[in-house]
Amino acid sequence: MTTIELKKIQKKYGEKVVLDNVSLSIKKGEVVSVIGPSGAGKSTLLRCINFLEVPSGGEIIIEGQPIQYSVNSIGQLTLMSKIKMSKVRSKVGMVFQHFNLWKHKTVLENIIEGPIIVKKKTKAEAIEKADELLNKVGLYEKRNDHPSDLSGGQQQRIAIARALAMEPTVMLFDECTSALDPELVGEVLQIMTDLAKEGMTMMIVTHEMRFAKQVSDRVIFMENGRIVVEGSPTQIFDSNDNDRVTRFLSSIQND
């Protein structure tokens, strides 16, 4: 079963083309890593999937359902479309580079708000699920702390727990380790590796090449708003014959 299907997705800012007819499908349980240079359109592609960015053209299909939406005169979602997108976003969890936790709320409050407001869970149900997820990410003892009390790695693990609390069918990770100190990266990648082993459908934009090679079923290289090449980790990292990909991987390894 295909979880996400993208058909000829375009994104323009004025005359600038950021995504140029990107087509892609991700099967249930598949882990797809997206790599490429800065400005390739990787993060924009992820943001279009859950409509944090509104595509300029193309079609997005989630679990077989085309996402219908309308925009106003300045290209933003109409109010009715925004309301409808809350259901879409409950299926598509997203973890960002900069955590995006509510600073005035405790860890527990951060996690239970979405399930209560969007999924209409009772507070008791939401807390039970939150505690389960806090144990999963190894931070149950931090449930009453505020984000400012946590390290960057801990905050990102809480952000993952918050996304999982919505019980999504797919998780999107947008450079979620790039804002972390190097010694904190591993604890976040471990949580993501565990999710992959559990069969979570995942799309990951990352510069962590070793992680992408180990955890991915498929790797996509993007540049200039297009998919240049895609294949298995072995095909991309060990036996690719694309000069541009080779140069990119060489530059990453030499950083």
Side-chain angles (χ1 to χ4, degrees):
M1 177 183 172
T2 300
T3 300
I4 292 178
E5 188 170 4
L6 309 179
K7 294 183 176 181
K8 295 186 176 181
I9 298 300
Q10 300 174 20
K11 180 62 183 177
K12 298 179 181 179
Y13 298 106
E15 296 298 309
K16 182 177 174 59
V17 177
V18 181
L19 294 174
D20 189 3
N21 288 312
V22 175
S23 295
L24 170 68
S25 63
I26 300 176
K27 298 193 294 289
K28 180 177 173 59
E30 190 175 20
V31 178
V32 176
S33 289
V34 185
I35 65 173
S38 296
K42 308 181 300 294
S43 293
T44 302
L45 183 61
L46 247 60
R47 292 172 68 85
C48 282
I49 292 173
N50 70 352
F51 288 85
L52 291 173
E53 298 281 356
V54 182
S56 306
E59 188 175 19
I60 295 174
I61 302 167
I62 297 177
E63 294 189 310
Q65 296 293 318
I67 306 305
Q68 306 292 338
Y69 64 97
S70 54
V71 296
N72 58 25
S73 59
I74 56 174
Q76 296 176 337
L77 291 174
T78 61
L79 180 59
M80 284 305 296
S81 288
K82 284 182 180 178
I83 293 169
K84 200 158 59 171
M85 285 311 147
S86 67
K87 288 188 177 180
V88 173
R89 291 181 184 134
S90 72
K91 291 183 177 183
V92 183
M94 188 158 182
V95 181
F96 302 87
Q97 180 177 348
H98 294 292
F99 323 139
N100 287 13
L101 298 173
W102 292 299
K103 294 177 181 177
H104 64 288
K105 293 181 181 291
T106 65
V107 162
L108 183 63
E109 289 167 343
N110 264 278
I111 296 173
I112 67 175
E113 178 143 322
I116 290 172
I117 292 177
V118 178
K119 303 200 81 171
K120 309 304 181 188
K121 296 271 182 99
T122 66
K123 188 172 183 180
E125 288 171 334
I127 289 174
E128 182 179 3
K129 182 67 175 179
D131 286 345
E132 174 192 322
L133 290 168
L134 285 168
N135 277 313
K136 184 186 188 77
V137 301
L139 290 171
Y140 179 82
E141 75 282 0
K142 302 290 187 182
R143 69 200 294 269
N144 295 316
D145 290 3
H146 285 80
S148 58
D149 301 321
L150 308 179
S151 70
Q154 290 171 333
Q155 289 186 61
Q156 196 59 291
R157 283 150 64 192
I158 295 302
I160 293 172
R162 183 177 65 175
L164 291 172
M166 298 297 288
E167 300 174 327
T169 55
V170 60
M171 286 283 287
L172 310 178
F173 294 89
D174 185 13
E175 295 282 15
C176 68
T177 59
S178 61
L180 300 178
D181 293 333
E183 66 267 24
L184 301 177
V185 168
E187 63 189 62
V188 174
L189 294 183
Q190 185 58 56
I191 299 295
M192 295 167 66
T193 301
D194 292 344
L195 286 174
K197 289 177 180 174
E198 292 167 11
M200 173 62 75
T201 309
M202 297 162 66
M203 188 170 177
I204 304 164
V205 170
T206 184
H207 278 102
E208 300 287 342
M209 296 299 118
R210 186 181 303 170
F211 170 73
K213 184 175 181 179
Q214 289 173 345
V215 81
S216 305
D217 297 301
R218 188 156 40 114
V219 178
I220 290 169
F221 178 85
M222 285 186 69
E223 188 171 45
N224 298 323
R226 296 180 178 180
I227 294 175
V228 177
V229 64
E230 62 180 291
S232 70
T234 299
Q235 289 170 325
I236 298 298
F237 292 108
D238 297 332
S239 59
N240 91 81
D241 56 3
N242 185 293
D243 288 343
R244 180 64 190 97
V245 177
T246 300
R247 290 200 311 275
F248 171 77
L249 292 175
S250 177
S251 71
I252 288 281
Q253 287 159 3
N254 292 333
D255 279 351

